[in-house]
């Protein structure tokens, strides 16, 4: 980091932290008591603060990473500041942990952007800094910096894991991956993604070698025809690669720390008789394929300022004109998946405090045909998503898509928080947008954040059978 850029980024971090602290103060004054999932997280963390590590709330479904991290930060501060009484491990003190994770996320996102876009380093100081600021204020993630949820810490450790993978520190990455799994079990998917990038790099190298032998340099590894013959070619090559002892050995020499984490996680699943700890009745896995379509639309909305342009829409129309059979096939498969694999969680229909409740009620419940009529939008959103990766290698893209499927499809509940990590990974790997586009993106995120916090603070309501104040949130 050059000195001038370092000064700019330091000032940015300080300003971001100051603004976040002011918002944190306002949110905490308005909602002093634990709210929503905090009613489980806060008491559990307080038990850990008092050394009661053998007590566990059976309603909590994640591992104790958040509580351990909180105690690890708060206890030294309490000792140094000689704090006593209710302030120790209070709701506000515990929530403040996520503001620290927010600062860490901003720094990690900046480092990831610098690493992933190294070739553009000479002329993109402002774009790198603004990209980092914009993504650190990504609305769904940013809102949960003010509550005691697992999202900020979970995202921090996943980003840290991936950064260490990019720098080749695979043992450190695997250890950080374990920390991320302690925050949320499904993070094992993104630990697998980190390992998958190493496998993809080896496969890309082998693909290039094979094509150079065949003198087929006109077909670079990132461009394979969208056809049955192209798919067959990829499948045969993958099978050949995975059954080659030399290739497997080369991969394991690099990726063995991640494999060790995977083996450990498998042992946990077998001993725990499942991934979820605590209450499992509301967290049953299923093949909810439309979740992928929801994610594509979610990504299209939040990346609109940086991903969509006239030329891309034109390319989409040209692609449909050139390959009508392919797009008809995709449309048909999408209709089938929506017809046979749409699942609706009871929480989505019952809890009117979450924004997805209103998305479902106002859109999908208007008529039973609405979910089918949205297929053209899904196809375009999916195409736009994939087109953003055209600069990435073939096997890296396949590894990412495999992890995206694993992260979204098994989820029965439509919950925007589950989209945070896959969206950030998607956005980080896009080519750096122009400065005006980044400004528009930042303004969009700021507007959504302002509206979300305003609604949370001011638009309260009560249920008929409860005296507690209810608030709207992601």
């Amino acid at each position: 980091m050059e000195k001038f850029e370092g000064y700019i980024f330091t000032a940015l971090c300080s300003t971001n932290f100051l603004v976040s602290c002011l918002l944190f103060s306002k949110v905490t004054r308005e909602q002093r008591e634990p709210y929503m999932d905090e009613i489980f997280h806060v008491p559990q963390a307080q038990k850990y603060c008092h050394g009661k590590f053998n007590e566990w709330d059976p309603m909590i479904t994640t591992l104790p990473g958040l509580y351990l991290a909180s105690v690890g930060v708060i206890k030294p501060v309490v000792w140094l500041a000689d704090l006593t009484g209710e302030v120790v491990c209070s709701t506000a003190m515990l929530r403040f942990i996520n503001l620290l994770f927010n600062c860490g996320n901003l720094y990690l996102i900046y480092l990831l952007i610098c690493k992933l876009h190294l070739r553009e380093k000479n002329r993109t100081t402002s774009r790198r800094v603004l990209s980092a600021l914009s993504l650190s204020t990504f609305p769904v993630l940013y809102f949960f910096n003010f509550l005691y949820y697992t999202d900020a810490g979970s995202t921090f450790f996943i980003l840290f894991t991936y950064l260490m993978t990019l720098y080749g520190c695979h043992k450190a990455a695997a250890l950080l991956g374990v920390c991320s799994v302690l925050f949320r079990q499904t993070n094992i998917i993104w630990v697998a993604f980190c390992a998958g990038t190493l496998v993809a790099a080896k496969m890309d190298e082998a693909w290039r070698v094979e094509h150079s032998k065949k003198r087929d340099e006109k077909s670079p590894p990132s461009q394979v025809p969208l056809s049955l013959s192209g798919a067959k070619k990829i499948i045969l090559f993958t099978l050949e690669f995975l059954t080659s002892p030399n290739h497997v050995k080369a991969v394991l020499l690099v990726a063995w720390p991640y494999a060790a984490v995977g083996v450990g996680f498998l042992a946990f699943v077998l001993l725990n008789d499942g991934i979820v700890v605590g209450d499992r009745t509301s967290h049953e896995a299923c093949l909810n394929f439309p979740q992928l379509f929801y994610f594509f639309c979610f990504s299209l909305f939040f990346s609109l300022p940086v991903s969509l342009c006239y030329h891309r829409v034109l390319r989409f129309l040209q692609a449909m004109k050139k390959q009508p059979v392919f797009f008809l096939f995709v449309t048909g498969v999408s209709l089938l998946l929506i017809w046979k694999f749409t699942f609706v969680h009871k929480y989505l229909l019952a809890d009117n405090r979450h924004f997805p409740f209103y998305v479902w009620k106002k859109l999908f419940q208007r008529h039973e045909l609405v979910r089918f009529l949205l297929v053209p939008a899904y196809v375009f959103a999916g195409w736009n998503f994939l087109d953003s990766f055209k600069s990435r290698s073939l096997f890296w893209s396949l590894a990412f898509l495999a992890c995206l499927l694993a992260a979204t499809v098994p989820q029965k509940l439509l919950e925007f928080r589950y989209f945070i990590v896959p969206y950030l990974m998607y956005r980080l790997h896009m080519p750096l947008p122009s400065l005006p586009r980044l400004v528009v993106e930042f303004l969009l995120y700021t507007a959504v954040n302002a509206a979300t916090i305003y609604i949370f603070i001011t638009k309260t309501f009560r249920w008929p059978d409860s005296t507690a104040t209810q608030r709207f949130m992601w």
Side-chain angles (χ1 to χ4, degrees), residues 364-396:
F364 292 94
Q365 286 189 321
R366 280 188 175 274
H367 195 279
E368 60 181 11
L369 292 178
V370 168
R371 55 183 178 145
F372 299 105
L373 295 175
L374 288 172
V375 166
Y378 295 155
V379 172
F380 173 72
W383 182 90
N384 182 71
F385 183 90
L386 296 174
D387 190 62
S388 301
F389 282 145
K390 64 181 182 181
S391 62
R392 296 290 160 183
S393 71
L394 168 67
F395 294 105
W396 184 96

Side-chain angles (χ1 to χ4, degrees), residues 49-100:
C49 278
H50 296 119
K52 300 177 182 178
F53 296 99
N54 61 335
E55 295 185 18
W56 185 260
D57 186 339
M59 292 301 294
I60 296 174
T61 58
T62 53
L63 292 169
L66 177 62
Y67 320 128
L68 293 171
S70 301
V71 172
V73 172
I74 290 174
K75 282 296 184 180
V77 172
V78 168
W79 179 73
L80 289 171
D82 195 25
L83 298 174
T84 56
E86 294 183 359
V87 70
V88 178
C89 286
S90 63
T91 301
M93 179 78 83
L94 291 169
R95 287 173 178 171
F96 190 78
I97 298 297
N98 281 337
L99 278 193
L100 302 181

Side-chain angles (χ1 to χ4, degrees), residues 81 100 112 201 214 248 282 326 423:
L100 302 181
L112 282 165
K214 295 179 180 179
V248 172
S282 301
F326 172 75
Y423 178 80

Side-chain angles (χ1 to χ4, degrees), residues 59 104 143 168 175 187 192 208 215 222 249 281 295 325 355 403 418 425 427 436 438 440 466:
M59 292 301 294
F143 175 80
L175 183 60
N187 282 339
R208 283 192 296 268
R215 297 182 180 179
S222 60
K249 181 180 178 181
T281 56
F295 173 74
V325 176
F355 293 156
C403 292
Y418 300 155
M425 287 293 185
R427 177 62 182 78
L438 286 169
V440 175
S466 173

Side-chain angles (χ1 to χ4, degrees), residues 156-202:
F156 173 84
F157 280 107
I158 282 297
L159 294 176
F160 206 169
T161 299
Y162 188 44
L163 182 66
M164 290 296 100
T165 299
L166 293 177
Y167 275 100
C169 304
H170 301 302
K171 293 178 184 177
L175 183 60
L176 290 164
V178 172
C179 294
S180 74
V181 172
L182 289 175
F183 274 74
R184 186 172 290 167
Q185 293 92 305
T186 52
N187 282 339
I188 191 65
I189 295 167
W190 300 107
V191 177
F193 167 70
C194 292
T197 59
L198 303 179
V199 179
K202 296 291 184 182

Side-chain angles (χ1 to χ4, degrees), residues 178-301:
V178 172
C179 294
S180 74
V181 172
L182 289 175
F183 274 74
R184 186 172 290 167
Q185 293 92 305
T186 52
N187 282 339
I188 191 65
I189 295 167
W190 300 107
V191 177
F193 167 70
C194 292
T197 59
L198 303 179
V199 179
K202 296 291 184 182
M203 293 180 73
D204 286 327
E205 183 181 347
W207 180 278
R208 283 192 296 268
V209 169
E210 181 177 310
H211 276 245
S212 64
K213 288 179 180 178
K214 295 179 180 179
R215 297 182 180 179
D216 191 14
E217 296 180 358
K218 294 182 180 179
S219 298
S222 60
Q223 296 180 5
V224 175
L226 287 174
S227 61
L228 290 176
S229 61
K232 181 181 178 182
K233 192 175 183 181
I234 295 169
I235 292 170
L236 290 176
F237 175 80
T238 302
L239 291 174
E240 181 183 346
F241 182 90
L242 295 177
T243 54
S244 169
N246 290 334
H247 287 148
V248 172
K249 181 180 178 181
V251 168
L252 286 177
L253 284 173
V254 179
W256 69 264
Y258 307 96
V261 175
V263 171
F265 185 79
L266 183 60
F268 157 74
V269 171
L270 292 174
L271 291 172
N272 188 56
D273 195 26
I275 293 178
V276 177
V277 297
D279 179 32
R280 303 182 185 184
T281 56
S282 301
H283 294 81
E284 298 175 351
C286 63
L287 291 176
N288 192 3
F289 284 102
Q291 282 277 27
L292 187 62
F293 306 146
Y294 309 149
F295 173 74
F296 285 151
C297 291
F298 174 91
S299 299
L300 178 63
F301 173 78

